[in-house]
Amino acid sequence: ASATELENWKGENGKKVSLAEAVAAADCGKIYLMLGVNELGWKGTNIFRGHAENLIRRLKADHPDAELVIQSLLPVSTDQRILAYNQVWRELAEENGCAYVDVAEALTGEDGCLPEELSFDGVHLNRAGCRLWLDYLRTHSVAGEAPGESASAQTESEEASPAPAPTESERP
């Protein structure tokens, strides 16, 4: 099953809901989307593309005024499917009038993979990885405010402090 369909997110009533349902219930002006690593085991890209298209349609229907920003998959391996899925995301972004941000260019090591110092398990970003990701989004922002830039922006001391480490429940 796709991460978009699994009921892994808690809704307002505490009941688990799908990602699409969780986002539908939120008030969103801009939606940043990064999905696909969990789907790398699927055969071919057609199934992935179908799920991704359905999710984009749903997000745009639920939030017609929101800006949808699609992010590339993280380079968790040199698996060619990552490149193929990123190409699918690029195409879907263009076809659906969405922004595409290639965050992988900031998070790829010399070997083509996510560097060890940016991850605690080779898949999920650690504090340093999250900092690079956020810095990339801030410097490669699409129209409107970049992440973290708002009237309630962090103070300089908060900005300089590293992101919190993931809790046990956030780790796979």
Side-chain angles (χ1 to χ4, degrees), residues 5-32:
E5 297 168 340
L6 294 174
E7 294 183 342
N8 288 336
W9 288 265
K10 283 191 178 177
E12 289 184 19
N13 61 3
K15 179 183 175 234
K16 289 194 173 195
V17 298
S18 71
L19 172 64
E21 291 167 339
V23 175
D27 181 26
C28 303
K30 190 179 281 190
I31 302 168
Y32 282 81

Side-chain angles (χ1 to χ4, degrees), residues 16 65 74 150:
K16 289 194 173 195
D65 296 326
L74 295 177
S150 67

